[in-house]
Amino acid sequence: MSTSTTQKPTTRRIVGMVVGIVIIGLGIALFKQSHLGNDSISALNMRLAELLGISLGVQNVATNILFFALEFWFGRKYIGLGTFVNGIGMGFIITFFYDPIAAAFGPAASLPEQLVWVVLAVLVTALGASLYQTADLGIAPYDYLSLGLRDYTHFQYFGCRVFTDAFCALLCWLLGGLVGLGTLICAFCLGPFIQFFNGLVSERVLQYKPEKA
């Protein structure tokens, strides 16, 4: 994502950013419904919420406060409206969607059914992430970690992202959380589909194309 958050945001970009975040929350709820694993940071937050006996929304905010402190200290240029909307709201949005989905459909009974949920989750999450990133209104606190590593080391962004995701997945697994096929699919499939939706949907809908970071 670009760091051109100094440009005056348009209403279209702000609405697109908010809608994108809501869609991401729905996508993560679909990943959770699959019971095959979530993206690394969501899986870790879900496990920490279970261990601490608090809601996912509260746990997500607590984690993002920690990550935001790093972003504020080392990467203020990445902070924007989207940083706060994502950091504060994501956990509550996931819960808002997951509870009625789980109540309506119950546990996935077979691997094919679980894979259907994963496919839906990938597509939905990628669309939401595409809208959110194309709006170019700030980096989420967790997403900053890989960008910060890239900025302060000699490693490429891809390697830094793999490291942060792998570290969170490992920590989740060590804490007894669910790390599974869905986690791997999320890691390898989201990027290409986000890129696909960028040109097909987001840049056209938002009438905006971020500069390259």
Side-chain angles (χ1 to χ4, degrees):
M1 182 189 294
S2 163
T3 61
S4 57
T5 55
T6 55
Q7 298 182 22
K8 184 177 180 180
T10 63
T11 300
R12 185 182 294 267
R13 285 168 60 200
I14 293 173
V15 172
M17 176 268 293
V18 174
V19 170
I21 289 173
V22 171
I23 294 174
I24 292 171
L26 171 59
I28 295 174
L30 294 174
F31 269 117
K32 187 176 182 181
Q33 173 65 14
S34 76
H35 298 286
L36 287 178
N38 283 83
D39 63 285
S40 300
I41 187 59
S42 297
L44 177 59
N45 275 325
M46 289 173 189
R47 182 55 180 162
L48 288 173
E50 292 172 355
L51 292 175
L52 296 174
I54 58 178
S55 72
L56 176 60
V58 172
Q59 171 58 44
N60 190 73
V61 170
T63 301
N64 278 318
I65 288 173
L66 174 61
F67 294 154
F68 177 76
L70 296 173
E71 186 174 6
F72 181 80
W73 189 261
F74 296 107
R76 295 183 189 179
K77 65 182 179 179
Y78 294 111
I79 296 174
L81 178 62
T83 305
F84 300 100
V85 177
N86 188 311
I88 295 172
M90 185 58 72
F92 298 102
I93 296 170
I94 295 168
T95 301
F96 173 81
F97 282 118
Y98 175 72
D99 287 347
I101 290 173
F105 294 96
S110 63
L111 180 59
E113 185 178 345
Q114 290 176 309
L115 290 174
V116 169
W117 285 111
V118 168
V119 170
L120 288 174
V122 167
L123 294 175
V124 171
T125 305
L127 174 60
S130 174
L131 286 167
Y132 171 65
Q133 292 179 10
T134 302
D136 194 24
L137 294 174
I139 299 293
Y142 172 73
D143 293 330
Y144 166 70
L145 296 183
S146 50
L147 288 169
L149 282 175
R150 181 199 64 182
D151 291 346
Y152 286 93
T153 67
H154 298 294
F155 297 103
Q156 297 295 317
Y157 171 76
F158 178 78
C160 295
R161 183 72 193 209
V162 169
F163 173 79
T164 55
D165 286 348
F167 180 81
C168 289
L170 175 61
L171 185 56
C172 177
W173 180 75
L174 291 173
L175 292 173
L178 176 60
V179 176
L181 180 60
T183 308
L184 295 176
I185 293 175
C186 183
F188 289 101
C189 294
L190 277 183
F193 278 107
I194 290 172
Q195 186 66 34
F196 171 75
F197 283 124
N198 283 348
L200 182 67
V201 178
S202 300
E203 291 170 6
R204 296 180 180 181
V205 170
L206 301 184
Q207 298 179 4
Y208 180 80
K209 184 175 182 179
E211 299 172 3
K212 297 296 183 181

